Amino acid sequence: KLGVNCQYQPPDKSIITKDLMNMTKALEDLSGTEFLNHKMMDNDKMIAAMKFLRLLNFYAFFSKQEHLFFIINQMMNLTLTYGLCRESCTALANLSFILCEFGDFKASEHIGQLAMVLLKKFKAQECLPQVYLAIFSGVQSWTKIPRRCLEPILHGYEVAMQTGDVHHAMTCAYTYGMSSFVVGQSLA
């Protein structure tokens, strides 16, 4: 009904990975300003699809990780085809997170920065916890001093609680606790 074709069984991961890498290459040369000049999404069905895929992405992360690449690929395709919307920042942040799996930290960091620029432009507080989780437990924890990632993850928890997003609040709290333990911060 939303005009987005989602298969029960996602296509082979190698096909989706190739698509994601092609998107990454297309985004690598764009500055934040150039990216913000991309058209805005104005199709209500596509915006609704992005909202649905954003939620689906969270649940797939914990239960059906084989669907993550497909969901993020769908969100990125909608963003690049129909334009930017509030949920596009989560697609970018999750793409940034995935790129860490392939060791492409330079591209991951750049796409993470695009996600942050978009988050700021839309003032999308409801997306902040998901974006911060993906970026600060992803590329930032690999390329920066991990201890510096704790405060943004804690901020993600606070914003999630303020916006009523208990799922992401608890995920931020868990990530904060685990990351604190890993970097040797006192848990007392």
Side-chain angles (χ1 to χ4, degrees), residues 2 9 31 39 43 47 61 76 95 98 138 150 167 179 181:
L2 294 175
Q9 288 295 327
S31 70
K39 67 181 179 180
N43 183 316
I47 293 170
F61 182 81
M76 288 302 304
L95 176 57
I98 282 177
L150 294 175
H167 294 92
S179 298
F181 176 76

Side-chain angles (χ1 to χ4, degrees), residues 9-22:
Q9 288 295 327
D12 185 72
K13 187 175 177 180
S14 64
I15 294 169
I16 297 171
T17 301
K18 184 179 177 183
D19 284 349
L20 289 172
M21 292 305 155
N22 288 336

Side-chain angles (χ1 to χ4, degrees), residues 47-62:
I47 293 170
M50 287 290 285
K51 290 176 188 283
F52 176 75
L53 289 168
R54 176 180 166 250
L55 182 63
L56 191 60
N57 180 71
F58 177 79
Y59 294 114
F61 182 81
F62 289 105

Side-chain angles (χ1 to χ4, degrees), residues 6 29 86-87 95 148 170 187:
C6 289
D29 295 330
R86 297 170 79 81
E87 289 73 20
L95 176 57
R148 292 192 182 154
M170 294 301 106
L187 299 177

Side-chain angles (χ1 to χ4, degrees), residues 31-170:
S31 70
T33 304
E34 290 170 324
F35 186 68
L36 290 177
N37 287 332
H38 192 64
K39 67 181 179 180
M40 294 296 135
M41 191 178 291
D42 58 4
N43 183 316
D44 291 338
K45 283 188 174 186
M46 293 304 117
I47 293 170
M50 287 290 285
K51 290 176 188 283
F52 176 75
L53 289 168
R54 176 180 166 250
L55 182 63
L56 191 60
N57 180 71
F58 177 79
Y59 294 114
F61 182 81
F62 289 105
S63 63
K64 295 270 188 184
Q65 289 197 355
E66 64 272 15
H67 292 268
L68 273 178
F69 280 48
F70 177 72
I71 293 166
I72 294 165
N73 189 48
Q74 285 286 83
M75 292 181 79
M76 288 302 304
N77 276 325
L78 291 175
T79 295
L80 296 175
T81 303
Y82 293 96
L84 304 173
C85 68
R86 297 170 79 81
E87 289 73 20
S88 297
C89 61
T90 64
L92 287 161
N94 286 307
L95 176 57
S96 171
F97 187 85
I98 282 177
L99 289 172
C100 293
E101 181 177 329
F102 302 107
D104 193 348
F105 298 113
K106 182 180 176 191
S108 176
E109 192 158 13
H110 177 70
I111 290 174
Q113 289 170 350
L114 293 178
M116 296 292 279
V117 165
L118 201 55
L119 179 71
K120 185 176 179 178
K121 174 190 172 65
F122 282 113
K123 298 178 181 147
Q125 288 294 95
E126 73 280 5
C127 297
L128 184 143
Q130 189 174 5
V131 170
Y132 274 31
L133 267 171
I135 291 172
F136 291 103
S137 68
V139 69
Q140 293 293 317
S141 67
W142 284 92
T143 61
K144 306 292 183 217
I145 299 170
R147 185 177 298 276
R148 292 192 182 154
C149 295
L150 294 175
E151 192 61 37
I153 292 170
L154 183 60
H155 180 64
Y157 163 79
E158 293 164 349
V159 170
M161 289 301 289
Q162 290 167 357
T163 59
D165 184 356
V166 177
H167 294 92
H168 280 101
M170 294 301 106

